[in-house]
Every structure is written in C-alpha cells, then in structure tokens.
Amino acid sequence: MAEERLLHMIGNAHIDPVWLWQWPEGYQEVRATFASAIDRMEEYPEFVFTCDSALYLAWVEEHDPDLFAAIGKRIADGRWQQLGGWWIEPDCNLPGGESFVRQALYSQRYLKSRFGITSTVGLNVDPFGHNASLPQVLRKSGMDSYVFMRPGPHEMTLPGPYFWWESPDGTRVLTYRIPHEYCSSGTDLGYQIDKSLAQLPADAPELMVFYGVGNHGGGPTRANLESIRRLDATGGLPRLRCSSPRDFFDQLVASGVDIPVHAGELQHHAVGCYSAHSGVKRWNRRAENLLARAEKWASVATVLSDVAYPAADFERAWKLVLFNQFHDTLGGAAIEPAYEDSRDQYGHAVSLAGEAFNRSVQTLARRIDIRQEPDMTPLVVFNPHPWRLVADVEFEFGGFPAFGARAVDDSGTAVAVQRTRSRATVNGWRRRLALAADVPPLGYRVYRIHPSGDTEGAPGITATDTRLENDFVALEIDPETGWLRSLCDKVSDVDVVCGGSHGVVVDDRSDTWGHRVRAYDKVAGVFAPRSVRLVENGPVRAVLRVVSEYGSSTLTEEYVLGVRDRHVEVRVTLDWHEKQKLLKLRFPTVLSAVDATFEIPYGHLARPANGSEEAAQAWVDVSGELPGGRRAGLAVLNDGKYGHDVLGGDIGVTAVRSPVYAWHEPKELDPDELYTFQDQGRQEFTMRLVPHGGDWRDASVVRLAAELNQPAFPLIESYHDGDLPAVGSFMSVSDGSVVPAVLKVAEDGPDALVVRAYETAGRACEATIEVLGRPVTASFGPAEIKTFLVPRDGEAPVAETDMIEW
C-alpha cells in the first residue's frame, strides 16, 4: 500500500550566491531567505529547514545579529538542520584535493565555535559531477553520508536512489540521489511529488523529496507547507513528513534494508564546465598552489625564526578561494561581471599568500651566511617540495655590466647558466638568466653568479630548427604540420608519438555548460604552421618555437628541452578570436590497448579511452602497447587546464572554449543581438610531455606535475653574516609514491605542525616523512590520505588526526 511508505519532505532553499547575478545580490538573498525560513517555523510547528554552506551563516552573522540569534535557537532545537559541512557548494571536480579539505576544515570549525555542532551529512545538490575521492574526504571530515542530484538517471545508471558510495581507498559514505529536482515552485507540491515518485522504486519504504523555491533563494512557502498537510491527509500517496536527511539516513540504516555499493566517481553532467572560462580556471590553480607554498615556508620560518604564523591571513585567503570555487563560478557558468569580482577576490587571496611567502623566505635568506666576493651576485633558490628538485630556474637582475655570466654552487662547483630574453625591453642593463639548479627537499641552496665573457660555453643539447635531443629525450617537429614527428624516451628506447593533427579546432554550438555533450569531436579545421625555428640553445637548454594560425587566431608553442630533463616543456601562448568553437591540443600516439589514467583531487582514476570529455587535474596518461608489443606511455601535464579526453591512444587537452557567457539551453542566440563570447584574446599556459617505458608510475608523473605547478623560487640576495649554511633542507619523504602536499601550523595554535600526505600509485606502502628533524612513519593504504599533528616539543608524540585536526 502506498500509505505504508514514507516520504521525508526536505524543505530547503538552494541559493546560488553568484550566477546570473553578482555576489552582493546573493548576499542579500541569503538574508531574505533565512528570515523567511524563520518566519515559516513560527507558523508551521512541523516545518524543518535544511541548509548548507556555512558561509551563508557567516554572512548573516556579520550584518544581522538578531536573525543570527534566531537561527542559533532553531539549530539548537533541531528544526534548522545545518548540513553540507562545507563553506560553499563548490564544483566537485575542478578544485584540488586540499581545497575540499579546507571546505570542511573551516566550515566544521565555524559551526562548532558558533553553535556547538558539526555537519554529519554532506550536501551538494547542484554541482555538475562528483569526484571519486570525496567519500574519503567526507568521512575524515566528520560526515558519514552524502546527498547529490547530478548526474541524473538519464546521465548515469546507479544501483538505486540510495547506495554506499566507495572511494578508491575503500572508504564508504551512505549516499542519496535527489529525484526530479532539489527545488520546486512556490505553489502546491503535488507535481513535485508525482515527478519525484516517478523516478523512485515503488517498493522502497522510505525516500526523500526536496522542495522549496531555490537558486535565487526563497525557500519553502506557505503554499508548499499547506499542500504537504493537505496531500498527507488525502491518502493515495505515501505518508508525508517534514523531515531532514539525517533522520532519513538514520532510519534507513536502522531498517536493515540491503544497501548496494557503487565504487568510483559520479559523472557526467555539463562537461563544458571543465573548460568554460579559462581565466577562472587558471586563477584557481595558481591560488591553490601559491597558498600551499606559502604555508610550507611560513611553517618553516615560524619554527626556525619565531616569525608569527599568519593564520588569520591564510584563513581569509583560503575562504576567498573556496567562495570562488562555487560551482557556477569555477564552472564558468556565471555572467561576465561576476568574473571581475572573481578575479579581484582570487587576486586578494594570492596577494595574502605572496606576502606570507615573501616574509618567510626573506626572513630565512637574511640568516644565511653569504660572504662578499668581488662582482658576485648571490642567488638563493627555494624548493617547495619534500623531495630533491633538479630543475632549470629563470631569474632577472640588473647586476654586473658584463654581457655573460658564470655560476657556482655552495661547494664551488660550476653550474650551467644561460642567457635568455628579459621580460624588460630595455637597453642592456636588465638581463634574464636560466640556471641549472639542484636543491634539496623543501630546502634552499645558494648560488654565486659571476660576470664572464664566455657566457654560453658548449651547448648541452643537439638542436636544429626541427630537432632537439639530450641524453634522455629526443624530439622532432614536422614543419608541415607543426606537430611532433617523433618523441623518444631514449632511456627506455621507445618512441611514442605519431604524426597527425595537433591544434584541432572543433565546432561547439552547445551552451555555456555544454549540456547534452559527451565528446567534442566535430572538427572544423586545424592550425597550420607559419614558422618553425630554433630560438635558444646553450648549456642549460634549447628552445624551438612553432607558430601556427587558424582563422583570426595564433598559436605559439615553445618546446623547451633542458640538458637534464626527461620531459619536454611546452610553453603555449594562444591569441584566440574564434566564436562558438573549441581548441583541442591533441597528442596522437602509436599506442594500442591503452590504459587511460587521469589525476583527480588527491588521487587518480582509470577511465575508458572512448573520447568522452573528462575532468582532470594536472596530468593525464595513456600507457599501452607499442607496435611489437612493448609497453610504453605518454603523460601530458598542465598548469591550469581541466577538460581532457582520451580516444584510443590519443590525448586531447581542451585549451579554450568560446560559448556566450551564461547561455543556457533552450535559449537560442539571436543573430542580431550583441553577445560577449568567452576566452577571446591572449592567454598563456604550460604543459609538459613525458614519454616513458612501462606505465606512468615509472616516470614520476605525479612529482613532475607538482613541480610544474609549484616551481622553484629564485631570490636575489646580498652579502651578510648569518647562522644558516649555504644549503638547507627541512622536510623529506622516503617513499616516492607518498606525496606530502601540506605543511602548516595547526589550527589550534603554533605548538604543533600539520602534515597531510597521500598515496599516489594505488599501492600500499610504508613511508617516513622527516619534518624539521622529526620522523613521521606510517603505513599508507592504496590512495589513502593521512593527516598528522607534529608537536614542536620533541618529547611529545606525533599523532594521526582527522582533516578537521580534532
């Protein structure tokens, strides 16, 4: 009988703080919606309001203390259910792993400090897909269950409306997919209930239906609540009860019903959002990495120099980043003026990170003992990673008048240095050098730069206008196509690429979200090379520049091969002027029977090589069989792109899309209207190509991607006495598959540091992380994320903790 079933009616008001409006409008709508919810509670004693996004409570707290107090009372009596446990509903594919941790860290601590509660149910009703690492992040942030809506039943088949969702490390959370819609009209709910029941199994005893006016806020209305009373009294429907997701999940578990398991990600919806608005994607990646770098060095400076750790500045910066990871903002779906706000807010976050980082490294550098030498310029190179960094660094200075330069390290050993083009277009006195650095783990090294008439020395690379080769890698450019004719890993003796199109232009008539798109494959044309020539060659590196054109657009790619590199760096400058088109940078290979692997937040995931558009973080790899049967692969790394595909053995990186801003189907474009198209003009980004034998684990792909996104930092210094040596190291890790991504001061004060690390190869291991002289040894399961509290008191034990540091 229908009456034996129970529908938990979940009153909510999903609020987009930014979308078709800017954030001040969203700010006001939060206040109005929350005031309405409090009023409905006075009128309907059965009404329970479900809310997420702790940021909204912080907004109310800062400008409406009476409303904030009223909300606090309703949280205490259980009728205001604060779910989500995150600062905002972010895009759940594009932020880095640490961003998801910070969503929970700041939100859960805020809720505990203000209301004495934490959220135990994750809630992301509107984002466009959910990465596979989330169950582990949710569990280790205090949440045992999760609610989402997209992808819908037409986009992904799941074992039922509720299931255990399992991440690659084996962690599970109890998960529910909202049927039909998370919001409703403000009128009678009969239609909402009917449409929801049509998507739900007829034999499930208890289910959830969400209602309330949403997106621009509003929440449950009197008409909504009156209709719940009326429909519950009429019979013929399941019983209706104003409820909460927490009650639903608790009763589901208590019922003993069999709950199926789904392992892996929840995709796909709105795949165009992986690449819409290149600017916000690049701002986000840069801010995440600069904050991580600043926290590491601020922690070191706090311990070594008693410099106050700028915890408040870091929290402020992170919250700006988290706010702009809202799914419509980071997904590129908001109106154009919203991105002026986003640019400024990301810029503020980056500025705070930059100030903290500069203060920290300057404090450490002034303590290094650097003796004066005639005509010598000291250079201190800082490595932000807990492993040895062998990399070429570029720096500018206005030092000695000699045209050339030579360099030595702290032991007096000669180091290769090479003149390159200055960023300043002046007459001679400002110059830029590339130096072959070798810096210890999370450490620094002092180099001494001297004037020299013999700048270049013997070239370290065989280089022509179409070919670059060192001891490890050889590449050849086809001047007819502008693409690689050959890319050989000489160590493994494998050549992985084949000829073909590289800069592929695709017709893209989809809306801003890319609704109903699974693959971008309608080729409109290709970029044709205009010039291929060698522009730099010396003892550090060689650079080969390819300039190509399509329509009104120009693609410039500089292939950079360092003497010591096992990869090729590709520095891209794109001047794009196409509309309703998309640029794929394709990397064809000769591989067959491939495994396609994509980096996801704090992990990796294998996906079919079927050409579908996929979200990835900083790298994608194809590994498979060469003609003849040997195994090899190619990894493509990036510093700010998220949309990718793998078709057979070919990798495609979506470099740029050009839809109209905030254009949602079924709206059709008016040919007589004036529209603004995304991503018009100039942008820069960098990729790395890593050919390898075996699979990606054999090629240090994870570390190389981290080094691309957090490069070494060179600091021009001066002469001074000091108590620090010319080379120093403060953190290291023993196992190559474990990446310590975070070093920070603990949230509860400067007496302890926090280290967060994750296993990257999908294999159990034991690793020792050395942190400022203290060893942290732990066993990691495959894909496991661990957080450690490391007291500064050497007698106090190191302890594993959760992501909230409790």
Side-chain angles (χ1 to χ4, degrees):
M1 294 289 290
E3 294 84 351
E4 296 176 357
R5 304 171 72 200
L6 175 64
L7 288 187
H8 294 255
M9 300 299 295
I10 310 300
N12 79 110
H14 172 70
I15 303 174
D16 292 328
V18 176
W19 181 27
L20 308 181
W21 44 86
Q22 292 174 260
W23 71 269
E25 187 172 339
Y27 188 106
Q28 186 279 329
E29 189 55 46
V30 165
R31 182 178 74 247
T33 299
F34 286 6
S36 175
I38 292 295
D39 290 343
R40 299 295 80 74
M41 289 181 186
E42 295 294 329
E43 299 165 355
Y44 297 87
E46 73 274 24
F47 172 49
V48 177
F49 183 64
T50 291
C51 183
D52 71 354
S53 301
L55 168 64
Y56 301 161
L57 295 174
W59 278 356
V60 173
E61 182 184 22
E62 72 182 9
H63 80 277
D64 194 335
D66 292 339
L67 178 57
F68 189 73
I71 292 171
K73 291 178 181 178
R74 291 306 185 185
I75 288 176
D77 67 23
R79 293 182 59 200
W80 184 295
Q81 290 282 309
Q82 189 65 36
L83 272 61
W86 285 1
W87 199 239
I88 203 77
E89 280 194 33
D91 183 283
C92 290
N93 285 311
L94 307 182
E98 187 59 22
S99 288
F100 291 105
V101 175
R102 299 306 173 100
Q103 288 281 357
L105 174 72
Y106 296 122
S107 176
Q108 296 283 47
R109 282 180 166 266
Y110 177 83
L111 295 175
K112 188 71 171 179
S113 67
R114 301 313 195 269
F115 308 108
I117 66 163
T118 57
S119 294
T120 59
V121 179
L123 184 69
N124 280 303
V125 303
D126 200 22
F128 314 134
H130 307 261
N131 77 78
S133 297
L134 286 185
Q136 183 178 185
V137 173
L138 290 163
R139 275 283 185 179
K140 292 184 175 180
S141 303
M143 287 169 275
D144 59 19
S145 45
Y146 190 63
V147 180
F148 75 104
M149 190 180 79
R150 299 188 177 99
H154 62 295
E155 296 167 316
M156 183 179 194
T157 300
L158 290 169
Y162 48 80
F163 52 90
W164 289 107
W165 181 22
E166 184 175 284
S167 60
D169 75 308
T171 300
R172 293 178 178 178
V173 292
L174 188 52
T175 300
Y176 185 84
R177 176 162 64 183
I178 296 170
H180 183 48
E181 288 286 353
Y182 54 77
C183 58
S184 68
S185 73
T187 59
D188 186 282
L189 293 175
Y191 178 83
Q192 181 82 357
I193 292 170
D194 288 344
K195 295 294 286 186
S196 298
L197 287 174
Q199 290 187 8
L200 295 170
D203 58 348
E206 298 191 24
L207 296 161
M208 284 192 286
V209 172
F210 279 59
Y211 72 96
V213 179
N215 291 333
H216 199 261
T221 66
R222 293 185 182 93
N224 290 161
L225 293 161
E226 289 290 345
S227 69
I228 292 174
R229 288 179 174 178
R230 181 182 61 79
L231 293 167
D232 187 46
T234 59
L237 285 173
R239 290 176 293 121
L240 308 182
R241 187 176 78 196
C242 291
S243 185
S244 71
R246 180 73 275 161
D247 286 346
F248 167 76
F249 285 122
D250 289 346
Q251 293 188 41
L252 182 63
V253 172
S255 72
V257 66
D258 183 49
I259 301 173
V261 176
H262 170 77
E265 61 188 344
L266 301 172
Q267 309 290 5
H268 299 84
H269 180 85
V271 300
C273 288
Y274 306 157
S275 49
H277 203 293
S278 294
V280 75
K281 269 61 169 182
R282 184 63 183 270
W283 304 334
N284 179 73
R285 181 79 67 84
R286 182 167 179 259
E288 288 177 326
N289 281 282
L290 290 178
L291 275 167
R293 181 186 73 169
E295 286 180 336
K296 294 172 193 174
W297 284 105
S299 300
V300 172
T302 295
V303 172
L304 293 188
S305 300
D306 290 325
V307 175
Y309 186 80
D313 286 345
F314 283 138
E315 180 173 342
R316 188 177 184 187
W318 268 112
K319 286 178 176 177
L320 286 167
V321 171
L322 301 181
F323 174 63
N324 282 281
Q325 290 174 342
F326 181 71
H327 51 271
D328 285 318
T329 307
L330 187 54
I335 58 173
E336 185 178 13
Y339 290 101
E340 296 177 8
D341 298 333
S342 181
R343 175 202 61 206
D344 295 344
Q345 290 160 358
Y346 272 118
H348 189 186
V350 165
S351 179
L352 291 169
E355 289 175 5
F357 173 74
N358 181 66
R359 183 165 55 246
S360 300
V361 296
Q362 296 276 4
T363 297
L364 294 169
R366 69 175 172 79
R367 290 181 49 190
I368 301 173
D369 188 34
I370 302 177
R371 300 298 178 182
Q372 183 172 357
E373 297 179 37
D375 297 325
M376 186 271 286
T377 299
L379 177 76
V380 185
V381 179
F382 291 87
N383 170 17
H385 303 288
W387 55 81
R388 176 189 174 196
L389 179 62
V390 176
D392 300 337
V393 298
E394 295 183 29
F395 62 98
E396 300 221 1
F397 73 115
F400 41 80
F403 192 59
R406 62 182 179 86
V408 297
D409 65 13
D410 55 292
S411 66
T413 302
V415 176
V417 64
Q418 177 176 326
R419 187 178 68 254
T420 188
R421 187 170 68 88
S422 173
R423 298 287 176 84
T425 307
V426 295
N427 188 23
W429 66 271
R430 186 74 177 172
R431 52 188 53 82
R432 187 174 186 86
L433 298 178
L435 178 138
D438 186 339
V439 191
L442 196 68
Y444 67 85
R445 188 182 300 276
V446 176
Y447 294 90
R448 302 194 294 278
I449 315 299
H450 298 272
S452 172
D454 183 14
T455 308
E456 303 290 338
I461 293 176
T462 302
T464 70
D465 280 339
T466 58
R467 183 173 178 83
L468 302 177
E469 183 174 359
N470 64 12
D471 290 341
F472 311 106
V473 178
L475 68 100
E476 184 177 359
I477 299 289
D478 182 349
E480 298 299 317
T481 65
W483 172 231
L484 291 171
R485 179 180 287 156
S486 172
L487 178 59
C488 182
D489 171 19
K490 296 171 63 176
V491 176
S492 301
D493 190 26
V494 295
D495 191 346
V496 296
V497 307
C498 63
S501 298
H502 172 51
V504 179
V505 179
V506 176
D507 271 326
D508 176 19
R509 299 287 168 173
S510 63
D511 65 11
T512 314
W513 286 257
H515 282 122
R516 311 188 198 289
V517 172
R518 289 301 300 270
Y520 290 106
D521 54 7
K522 298 177 181 177
V523 176
V526 297
F527 273 79
R530 187 179 72 195
S531 65
V532 180
R533 66 188 183 96
L534 186 69
V535 295
E536 190 175 327
N537 189 21
V540 175
R541 69 188 189 191
V543 181
L544 196 157
R545 181 182 297 155
V546 178
V547 180
S548 303
E549 295 176 333
Y550 173 89
S552 301
S553 303
T554 304
L555 173 67
T556 302
E557 298 171 289
E558 292 192 333
Y559 292 83
V560 182
L561 182 62
V563 171
R564 303 168 299 171
D565 288 345
R566 295 171 181 259
H567 64 270
V568 178
E569 187 160 288
V570 187
R571 299 178 181 179
V572 181
T573 301
L574 174 64
D575 190 12
W576 178 255
H577 297 280
E578 313 307 314
K579 298 174 181 178
Q580 290 189 269
K581 287 184 169 61
L582 172 151
L583 172 61
K584 281 278 187 185
L585 295 180
R586 299 214 64 85
F587 300 89
T589 75
V590 296
L591 301 168
S592 61
V594 302
D595 297 318
T597 309
F598 300 73
E599 185 185 32
I600 64 173
Y602 274 157
H604 67 272
L605 196 67
R607 293 173 174 143
N610 61 7
S612 64
E613 190 76 355
E614 305 284 358
Q617 295 280 305
W619 59 269
V620 174
D621 179 85
V622 291
S623 295
E625 294 183 5
L626 292 166
R630 294 180 61 199
R631 286 198 59 85
L634 173 68
V636 179
L637 288 47
N638 75 85
D639 68 352
K641 299 299 176 184
Y642 295 90
H644 300 76
D645 73 84
V646 175
L647 181 60
D650 298 352
I651 298 173
V653 179
T654 304
V656 62
R657 279 187 72 220
S658 53
V660 170
Y661 277 92
W663 168 36
H664 197 299
E665 65 166 22
K667 170 67 177 178
E668 295 185 3
L669 299 183
D670 182 346
D672 296 323
E673 187 54 85
L674 179 64
Y675 297 106
T676 304
F677 293 80
Q678 290 190 357
D679 284 359
Q680 301 296 292
R682 189 176 187 273
Q683 61 169 284
E684 296 179 356
F685 57 95
T686 301
M687 299 181 295
R688 285 181 176 174
L689 309 181
V690 186
H692 57 81
D695 75 2
W696 56 271
R697 296 171 182 85
D698 304 317
S700 299
V701 166
V702 176
R703 287 188 173 188
L704 285 172
E707 292 169 12
L708 172 61
N709 282 271
Q710 286 186 46
F713 178 78
L715 177 66
I716 297 292
E717 253 299 335
S718 55
Y719 318 125
H720 43 66
D721 296 335
D723 61 337
L724 292 179
V727 59
S729 177
F730 309 109
M731 182 181 183
S732 62
V733 60
S734 63
D735 189 283
S737 73
V738 171
V739 171
V742 172
L743 174 64
K744 61 185 284 291
V745 166
E747 293 296 309
D748 290 328
D751 294 334
L753 300 176
V754 167
V755 174
R756 190 156 19 258
Y758 68 108
E759 197 285 320
T760 65
R763 300 167 178 166
C765 68
E766 182 172 287
T768 296
I769 304 168
E770 189 87 14
V771 187
L772 289 158
R774 295 208 65 181
V776 180
T777 300
S779 295
F780 285 77
E784 185 176 11
I785 309 164
K786 285 183 177 287
T787 305
F788 304 96
L789 277 174
V790 185
R792 291 175 62 179
D793 179 359
E795 301 299 316
V798 173
E800 187 174 351
T801 185
D802 62 18
M803 292 176 176
I804 316 301
E805 302 176 23
W806 286 338

